[in-house]
Each structure stands twice: as C-alpha cells, then as structure tokens.
C-alpha cells in the first residue's frame, strides 16, 4: 500500500483497512484543473493538507466541484520536491477524535504542486500561466503571520525585499515579492479580477496581506518599474479583494504514534522528511476533528460554493465578531488559564488537566459564567455551542499533544487581548459587576506566581520564552503593584478597573508555601 496514484488503485485493500478514498476520476479532474485553475494556495504545510484540501476532496466526491487545488510553496521548496511529488500529491489525513478513535482518509484533491521559485524556470513559468488564467478565482495563503512581513523587528528589510523593490516584477526573491509579481502578471493580462485571501491564524489577516502587497505596488509605481496603473488595480476592490478570515483547527506535527498506526495497516514509505530549513513533513497529517473557517464574502471573480463543504461566508464585521469570540472569551483565555496553572501543578499535557476536577470547574466558570455574558454573538456560530465544543471535545482530546509549557509562551503578550476585553466589557455594562469576576483575576495572580518559577511542590521549573520575561520577573513577589498598573500587559490599569485588590489577595494566598496553589484553586 503506497500513497501514490498507482498505490491507491487497489481500493478493496484500502477500504478493508478503514480508509476513505477519493471517489472521483483524478486523471480527469487533474486535466480540468490544469486547463482552468480556480484556486491556488500558497503554503504547502499541514493545516492546508488537513483542512482546505480535505474540504475540496469532499466537494469533489459529492460532484459539487469538477476541479481540484493547485498548491505552491515559496519558502521551503523541499516540501514539494521531497514529499508532494514522490507521492503524486496524495497524502493521508488522520483525524484524531476526542473519543480516542481515529478516522483515516486518503486525500487526493491536490492536482498540481509547484515551487514558487523564480530560479526554477519550469515552475515559475507555470505560475505565471496560472495567474494569467481568467478562470482563477482565489489565491489563498497559510504562510504564517511572519510571512507577510517586509521588515524584521529592528525595522530592517527582510532578505530580498529591497532588491525586489528596485528590480520590479522580474525574478523576485522575497515571498511577497513573488506574490506581487504574479499579481502584476494578472494585471497586465487584462486587469483580471481575483480574491487574495489570507487564511493565517492572525487578527485582520487580510489587512496584513494588503499592506504588504500595497507597499510593493507603491514602490514599483514610484520607481517606474511596473506597468502604470498597477497600484490602482491593487486598490480597486472590484478587481482585487483582501478578505478577512478566521481559521481554527489544531494540526500538530505528524506524530510517531499515528505513523505506527498507518504502518501497521501496511502503508509503505511513511518516513518523515526534515528539510534543510528544518521543516518536518510526512506523507500524512494528523489533526483534531473540529474546524472553523469563516471568510469575508468578497470575491471579484466569483467563487465556488465552498459553504457546502462547511466553510462560512459572511461580512467583515461578522468575521471580526467570530475572531473576538474565540480569542477573547471562548477558547484562548481558557488555554492561558490551563497553561499557567498547569505549569505550577506539574502537568505536561493540556488534555490531562481536563481530568482535574478543580481545573475543570474553573475552566467552565471562566468561560460560561464570566466570559459568556460579554460575548457579542456573531450570529453564524453560537458562543455557547462553541464553548461546549472547546470544553467537552477539543481541550480534553487525548491525541492533542499541546503542553502547558508551550501555551505559556509569550503570556505577557496575550493577557491584554484574552482578558482585557472581557474586563472592558464588564466596565461598560451597567448590568454587570466587576465584583463578580473571580476566576479572571485568579489567572493574573497565577501568572504572577508562575513568574517565580517555583511549582506548587516547591521545585524550580523553566519558564517558557516571553519577550518581557526579564522585565516582569523583577516585580515578583514584592513589587507587583507597579506591574498591575501596566495597561499594555493587562489591557487596563487593574487598580483603575477595581481588580488589583483581588489579584493581590489571591497572589498572597498562592505564596503561603507548598500546596498553596492547589488549596486556593479548591477554595475558589
């Protein structure tokens, strides 16, 4: 059994092992896709293979689509060369159920895989051809938030950007330079319309993509190195759109336990590849069962009916509400509470914390009782249903290898958005009292206690990376007042908000010796 065109032809064997297979004629779909591509995706990583590619496969199986996907990788070309092509762009998706079972799918919806490498004449020529195609409706991205940056944290240009600015749309080296060069090709081919859709997990992602593309177009026009009018094309929403999206699906690194399950089924050549750029890729991906992709419905060249595959299409304001629901109340704050408390209590797996009665009760109270009252209902997803799924299905999933130590990274950067917005919601509502918040100030106190790097048994532990770590550590345990005033960390001045007293009270209780963390958690 091999994950190749030839290898999946013995459908009886695959199905006898419990695999769902492509139910369409791959050869016919590949020909149609190459003749009239409708969707090209940049970023050939695990989230794309587990989510977007599987959605398209389901629609192909149902006969609702007649063409598949084209994928391009502009950072790590070895993903295409060493993983996609040897397997004919076919991979296995293992869906990890909270029940402890797995669902196995052979995904064959990717019809073409290219390196977005201007030095590769064949692949680059094909990408230019795709962008000239009137049939192309959407260009999507999962290249991580840093993929849109033109400058590093010090304000210096990222490699290749200044050179690309100077040379114009000719053999670009930077990632965004490649994307804008291809978009320019679409412009000179008749100002063809297109949706440029970031699907990365960052706030207002469409604006980040637009800012990068617009800066390139502005530089090129100012320097006279592109066809005049390109900047106007980029800024004409009837020609080029940059929708906002909200994506939510946990797709961990391919797991050795999952590899063994597949190998025991008889699948050959499953060995992962670690590229020279340290990307870890395998012929399979493993992912949680829950997934959300909410997209602003702005597609100048039309779009397929992807809502029939479970995606949500709506307006920009609703995308924003869904994102705030997730980040500020229904998911991320619960993760942060479990992260800092888990580090103090010696846990090494988030899922195991959900078996702890004290932590489970506090998680539910934080989400349902304290957070839910200030959530703005986006209308398309019910907040209570979302929390139900988070608490009962997603976080307890035994397959999810998320650790408190990983989630605790960069906590100083997360508190303001994950908890500050809830505090502001309470302060702005006459029917809600800040006095009713008990678990939320406990999270702040637990974080301060966490910064002392001593667990509840009195043993030292290593703090997770955080850009403000050295700065904030100096305030504990004796100078926390100054820290509690800092709006950039907590979203509000906790003294002005009326929560500092409660945080200080909790912090004092947490510092009464061994077992004091557990004692306070039980009491609350």
């Amino acid at each position: 059994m091999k994950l190749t065109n030839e290898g999946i032809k013995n459908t009886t064997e695959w199905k006898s092992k419990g695999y769902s297979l492509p139910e369409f004629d791959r050869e016919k779909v590949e020909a149609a896709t190459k003749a009239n591509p409708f969707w090209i995706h940049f970023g050939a990583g695990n989230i794309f293979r587990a989510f977007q590619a599987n959605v398209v496969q389901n629609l192909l199986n149902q006969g609702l689509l007649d063409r598949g996907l084209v994928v391009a990788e502009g950072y790590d070309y070895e993903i295409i060369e060493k993983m996609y092509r040897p397997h004919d762009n076919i991979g296995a998706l293992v869906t990890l159920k909270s029940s402890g079972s797995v669902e196995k799918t052979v995904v064959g919806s990717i019809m073409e895989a290219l390196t977005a490498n201007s030095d590769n004449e064949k692949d680059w020529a094909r990408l230019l051809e795709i962008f000239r195609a009137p049939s192309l409706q959407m260009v999507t991205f999962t290249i991580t938030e840093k993929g849109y940056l033109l400058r590093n944290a010090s304000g210096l240009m990222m490699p290749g950007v200044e050179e690309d600015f100077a040379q114009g749309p000719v053999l670009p080296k930077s990632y965004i330079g490649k994307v804008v060069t291809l978009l320019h090709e679409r412009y000179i081919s008749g100002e063809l319309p297109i949706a440029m859709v970031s699907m990365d997990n960052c706030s207002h992602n469409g604006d980040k993509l637009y800012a990068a593309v617009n800066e390139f177009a502005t530089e090129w026009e100012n320097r006279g190195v592109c066809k005049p009018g390109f900047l106007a094309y980029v800024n004409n929403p009837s020609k080029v759109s940059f929708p906002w999206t909200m994506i939510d699906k946990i797709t961990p690194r391919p797991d050795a336990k999952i590899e063994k399950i597949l190998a025991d089924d008889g699948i050959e050549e499953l060995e992962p590849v670690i590229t020279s750029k340290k990307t870890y890729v395998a012929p399979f991906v493993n992912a949680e069962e829950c997934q959300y992709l909410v997209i602003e419905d702005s597609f100048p060249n039309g779009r397929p009916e992807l809502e029939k595959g479970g995606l949500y299409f709506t307006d920009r304001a609703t995308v924003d509400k869904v994102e705030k629901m997730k980040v500020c109340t229904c998911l991320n704050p619960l993760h942060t509470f479990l992260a800092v408390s888990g580090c103090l209590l010696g846990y090494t797996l988030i899922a195991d914390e959900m078996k702890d009665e004290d932590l489970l009760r506090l998680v539910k109270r934080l989400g349902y009782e304290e957070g839910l009252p200030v959530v703005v209902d986006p209308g398309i997803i019910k907040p209570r249903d979302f929390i139900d799924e988070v608490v009962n299905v997603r976080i307890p999933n035994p397959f999810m290898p998320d650790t408190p130590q990983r989630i605790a990274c960069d906590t100083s950067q997360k508190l303001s958005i994950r908890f500050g917005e809830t505090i502001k919601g309470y302060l702005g509502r006459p029917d809600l009292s800040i006095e009713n918040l008990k678990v939320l100030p406990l999270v702040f106190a637990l974080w301060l206690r966490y910064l002392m790097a001593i667990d509840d048994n009195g043993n030292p532990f290593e703090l997770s990376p955080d850009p403000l770590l050295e700065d904030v550590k100096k305030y504990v345990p004796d100078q926390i007042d100054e820290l509690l005033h800092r709006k950039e960390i907590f979203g509000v001045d906790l003294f002005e908000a009326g929560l500092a007293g409660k945080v200080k009270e909790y912090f004092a209780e947490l510092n009464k010796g061994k077992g004091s963390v557990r004692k306070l958690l039980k009491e609350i």
Side-chain angles (χ1 to χ4, degrees):
M1 294 169 69
K2 292 184 179 181
L3 289 163
T4 61
N5 270 329
E6 196 62 35
I8 65 171
K9 285 182 178 176
N10 187 351
T11 58
T12 303
E13 186 175 16
W14 284 92
K15 288 180 179 178
S16 72
K17 300 289 177 65
Y19 288 82
S20 299
L21 294 166
E23 297 169 14
F24 49 90
D25 184 332
R26 277 199 93 224
E27 196 173 310
K28 183 178 177 183
V29 171
E30 181 180 338
T33 303
K34 289 182 174 178
N36 293 291
F38 77 97
W39 181 353
I40 183 168
H41 183 88
F42 285 84
N46 292 332
I47 183 71
F48 162 71
R49 294 165 68 199
F51 197 167
Q52 291 92 335
N54 194 44
V55 166
V56 170
Q57 165 133 323
N58 289 335
L59 293 172
L60 283 165
N61 284 344
Q62 296 170 54
L64 298 173
L65 284 178
D66 60 358
R67 289 164 292 167
L69 285 155
V70 180
V71 66
E73 174 55 45
Y75 172 70
D76 194 338
Y77 310 136
E78 289 178 55
I79 297 173
I80 301 297
E81 294 159 349
K82 294 183 176 180
M83 190 54 61
Y84 275 77
R85 287 176 179 163
H87 293 279
D88 299 327
N89 307 326
I90 293 169
L93 165 61
V94 181
T95 302
L96 311 172
K97 303 275 193 172
S98 58
S99 63
S101 63
V102 299
E103 183 180 280
K104 300 173 292 190
T105 307
V106 174
V107 178
S109 61
I110 302 164
M111 298 298 150
E112 195 170 7
L114 303 162
T115 62
N117 176 7
S118 60
D119 292 331
N120 184 322
E121 290 185 18
K122 183 179 178 184
D123 282 14
W124 189 248
R126 175 58 181 152
L127 283 168
L128 290 168
E129 183 181 24
I130 288 168
F131 271 76
R132 290 193 292 267
S135 59
L136 189 65
Q137 296 175 310
M138 52 199 286
V139 183
T140 59
F141 302 83
T142 50
I143 59 175
T144 75
E145 186 169 3
K146 64 185 178 185
Y148 306 103
L149 296 177
L150 302 186
R151 296 168 184 79
N152 64 20
S154 304
L156 300 174
M157 285 289 185
M158 300 292 278
V161 172
E162 184 54 53
E163 184 184 346
D164 289 349
F165 277 172
Q167 291 191 351
V170 185
L171 301 180
K173 302 303 179 193
S174 67
Y175 208 134
I176 294 298
K178 297 168 189 175
V179 170
V180 186
T181 297
L182 293 167
L183 187 59
H184 183 266
E185 186 72 13
R186 193 162 183 79
Y187 167 65
I188 64 176
S189 300
E191 300 186 35
L192 299 170
I194 194 70
M196 306 288 285
V197 191
S198 169
M199 293 179 172
D200 274 297
N201 186 22
C202 53
S203 181
H204 302 172
N205 45 21
D207 288 354
K208 290 177 170 61
L209 175 58
Y210 164 75
V213 171
N214 184 63
E215 185 168 349
F216 256 95
T218 301
E219 286 288 337
W220 285 353
E221 286 242 349
N222 289 343
R223 300 182 191 211
V225 293
C226 69
K227 182 179 178 182
F230 180 52
L231 180 62
Y233 169 73
V234 165
N235 282 277
N236 181 350
S238 69
K239 295 290 187 181
V240 184
S241 65
F242 296 87
W244 290 6
T245 69
M246 192 289 294
I247 192 167
D248 186 17
K249 185 179 182 71
I250 298 171
T251 310
R253 194 172 96 160
D255 191 279
K257 295 192 295 292
I258 304 304
E259 183 182 344
K260 185 177 186 306
I261 290 173
L262 302 183
D264 288 347
D265 284 341
I267 302 180
E268 304 169 47
E269 299 175 6
L270 286 169
E271 295 75 19
V273 168
I274 301 175
T275 70
S276 57
K277 290 191 173 179
K278 307 302 181 189
T279 308
Y280 187 101
V281 287
F284 66 93
V285 289
N286 37 243
E288 69 168 336
E289 59 196 292
C290 305
Q291 59 187 34
Y292 296 90
L293 181 50
V294 183
I295 305 172
E296 178 187 353
D297 200 354
S298 178
F299 289 79
N301 200 28
R303 62 169 179 81
E305 294 181 289
L306 298 176
E307 57 268 46
K308 291 182 178 177
L311 307 189
Y312 297 84
F313 288 87
T314 184
D315 55 40
R316 176 168 289 198
T318 303
V319 175
D320 197 39
K321 288 174 186 174
V322 173
E323 182 186 291
K324 284 188 168 70
M325 177 190 75
K326 174 192 132 181
V327 173
C328 303
T329 311
C330 296
L331 174 59
N332 297 33
L334 311 188
H335 258 158
T336 292
F337 164 70
L338 290 168
V340 291
S341 57
C343 289
L344 289 167
L345 295 174
Y347 281 101
T348 56
L349 197 64
I350 289 282
D352 287 343
E353 292 186 70
M354 297 300 280
K355 301 171 188 171
D356 184 314
E357 288 188 9
D358 298 329
L359 296 180
L360 180 58
R361 286 176 183 158
L362 290 167
V363 158
K364 288 182 176 179
R365 189 162 166 187
L366 180 62
Y368 291 106
E369 296 179 31
E370 298 189 7
L372 209 52
V374 293
V375 172
V376 176
D377 189 340
I380 60 172
I381 301 169
K382 292 181 180 178
R384 179 170 286 276
D385 291 348
F386 191 89
I387 295 187
D388 284 345
E389 192 172 61
V390 166
V391 170
N392 300 317
V393 178
R394 302 183 70 180
I395 302 180
N397 190 327
F399 281 114
M400 289 296 110
D402 252 333
T403 68
Q405 293 72 24
R406 188 190 77 80
I407 303 288
C409 291
D410 305 332
T411 300
S412 72
Q413 311 297 292
K414 299 171 178 175
L415 294 174
S416 64
I417 186 68
R418 296 189 177 189
F419 299 98
E421 295 305 307
T422 294
I423 296 170
K424 291 173 190 174
Y426 271 75
L427 293 173
R429 291 263 299 272
D431 59 321
L432 295 174
S433 171
I434 207 84
E435 295 292 320
N436 291 333
L437 295 177
K438 298 289 190 291
V439 186
L440 190 152
L442 173 65
V443 181
F444 294 158
L446 286 165
W447 179 60
L448 297 175
R449 175 67 178 77
Y450 160 88
L451 292 174
M452 296 170 67
I454 302 291
D455 69 19
D456 201 28
N457 291 320
N459 301 314
F461 66 88
E462 185 179 349
L463 295 173
S464 300
D466 188 313
L468 290 183
L469 202 54
E470 294 309 311
D471 175 27
V472 295
K473 278 197 312 185
K474 65 190 178 189
Y475 295 104
V476 295
D478 301 320
Q479 302 175 50
I480 65 170
D481 280 19
E482 188 175 338
L483 194 56
L484 299 182
H485 278 294
R486 290 176 62 172
K487 294 181 181 179
E488 81 276 16
I489 291 178
F490 298 103
V492 295
D493 181 321
L494 292 176
F495 282 92
E496 292 176 3
L499 280 175
K502 182 63 70 177
V503 175
K504 290 172 69 175
E505 176 191 327
Y506 286 157
F507 183 64
E509 291 293 322
L510 293 169
N511 279 290
K512 287 186 173 179
K514 292 182 182 180
S516 58
V517 173
R518 175 62 71 180
K519 184 172 183 290
L520 182 61
L521 294 177
K522 279 190 178 298
E523 287 177 4
I524 296 176

